[in-house]
Amino acid sequence: MYKHVALLVRKDDMSHEEFVEYWQNNHTEIARDIEGVVKYGTVLPVTPDAAEFDGLAELYFDDLDALHDALGGEGSRDYDPDKGKAKEAHEDVNNFLALEERPRFIGEVVTQKDEVDGKTDGLYKHSAFLVRKDGMSHEEFVDHWQNNHTPIAREIEGVVKYDTVLPTDPENAEFDGIAELYFDDLDALHDALGSEGSRDYDPDKGKAKEAREDVNNFLALEKRPRFIGEETVQKDETRD
């Protein structure tokens, strides 16, 4: 499955609360009906004042061509659809988003662990937007991440679902990948991966400690945004 993740930043003259109200009550009604979308999730920060973004919008497609047709190709923060709900949604983003500050990522989802049978509504999620170390190629990064780090991360205490998202066009992607760790309980998330507002964390036990020690082998932590939020599934046709 292919996924478009938009890291949303509100317009300058908007409060976070005004942003959320518009996004959830106006834009979401349009976005869930974009052609080709089979699943749509929104993620709201648990601590807005400390979060680097106002929210995440995650649109899933079965087919990469359908994704590009609806939301534009890799490497552009803006896009210009000319038909349907995608056009309507694009016209609406000017009402609440600062597009020039909104990173986006297109990738293929690899499910590494799933104890919830894909049911992510209401779960707490830690999304790490990964940037490789200087001197490492994207291919070397992926090899270490998938074959060394992922076996550790999937066993972090409290993790009920773990997805990795690999860019479909690495040369134009803003990040080398996304790591998404889901928890039933926010305290368990914070205990494992630190609280909101810090790009680094310092767990002192278990697999979380082992995973933290390993990130120095392949990540540029100072360039890695992270986001802690609660997911709401707005649409899901993958379970029909």
Side-chain angles (χ1 to χ4, degrees):
M1 188 174 296
Y2 297 92
K3 179 175 183 173
H4 176 280
V5 182
L7 293 74
L8 306 182
V9 178
R10 68 184 184 269
K11 292 177 67 172
D12 287 341
D13 60 352
M14 232 180 199
S15 69
H16 175 74
E17 292 72 22
E18 291 170 333
F19 163 87
V20 170
E21 181 180 5
Y22 189 92
W23 178 32
Q24 298 288 290
N25 297 321
N26 296 79
H27 188 75
T28 290
E29 294 296 318
I30 305 169
R32 66 163 56 98
D33 291 326
I34 290 174
E35 294 76 9
V37 171
V38 296
K39 183 178 179 180
Y40 172 37
T42 59
V43 190
L44 290 170
V46 295
T47 311
D49 288 345
E52 296 193 39
F53 307 99
D54 289 282
L56 305 180
E58 304 184 334
L59 295 164
Y60 296 76
F61 297 77
D62 284 329
D63 180 80
L64 186 58
D65 289 337
L67 187 158
H68 285 155
D69 187 52
L71 300 174
E74 193 83 38
S76 170
R77 293 195 176 201
D78 202 1
Y79 48 93
D80 191 23
D82 59 3
K83 60 183 184 298
K85 287 293 182 177
K87 182 176 187 293
E88 186 178 345
H90 177 63
E91 291 170 348
D92 185 60
V93 297
N94 294 320
N95 293 318
F96 69 111
L97 290 185
L99 277 178
E100 70 282 357
E101 298 178 29
R102 182 205 69 169
R104 62 196 289 259
F105 185 90
I106 296 171
E108 184 172 6
V109 179
V110 180
T111 297
Q112 305 288 352
K113 177 179 183 176
D114 187 359
E115 296 181 350
V116 295
D117 192 28
K119 299 175 182 176
T120 58
D121 190 55
L123 295 183
Y124 295 94
K125 178 161 71 170
H126 177 280
S127 298
F129 298 88
L130 308 180
V131 179
R132 67 185 184 270
K133 286 179 66 171
D134 289 341
M136 186 177 251
S137 70
H138 175 73
E139 292 73 21
E140 291 169 333
F141 163 87
V142 170
D143 180 64
H144 186 95
W145 179 31
Q146 297 288 291
N147 297 316
N148 296 82
H149 188 78
T150 289
I152 304 170
R154 69 163 60 99
E155 301 302 328
I156 290 174
E157 294 76 8
V159 171
V160 296
K161 191 175 193 298
Y162 173 35
D163 290 340
T164 58
V165 191
L166 296 166
T168 55
D169 185 0
E171 291 186 2
N172 289 309
E174 299 201 32
F175 308 106
D176 288 282
I178 307 174
E180 301 177 331
L181 295 165
Y182 293 81
F183 296 76
D184 285 325
D185 180 80
L186 185 57
D187 289 338
L189 187 158
H190 285 156
D191 186 52
L193 300 173
S195 60
E196 190 83 42
S198 170
R199 293 196 176 198
D200 202 1
Y201 50 92
D202 190 24
D204 58 4
K205 61 183 183 298
K207 287 294 181 178
K209 181 176 188 293
E210 187 178 344
R212 171 60 189 89
E213 291 169 349
D214 183 61
V215 298
N216 294 322
N217 294 318
F218 69 111
L219 290 186
L221 278 178
E222 72 282 358
K223 299 178 183 179
R224 182 204 68 169
R226 61 197 290 262
F227 187 90
I228 296 172
E230 184 175 5
E231 181 165 312
T232 299
V233 176
Q234 304 287 353
K235 173 182 181 176
D236 190 356
E237 294 180 349
T238 65
R239 306 183 56 79
D240 292 348

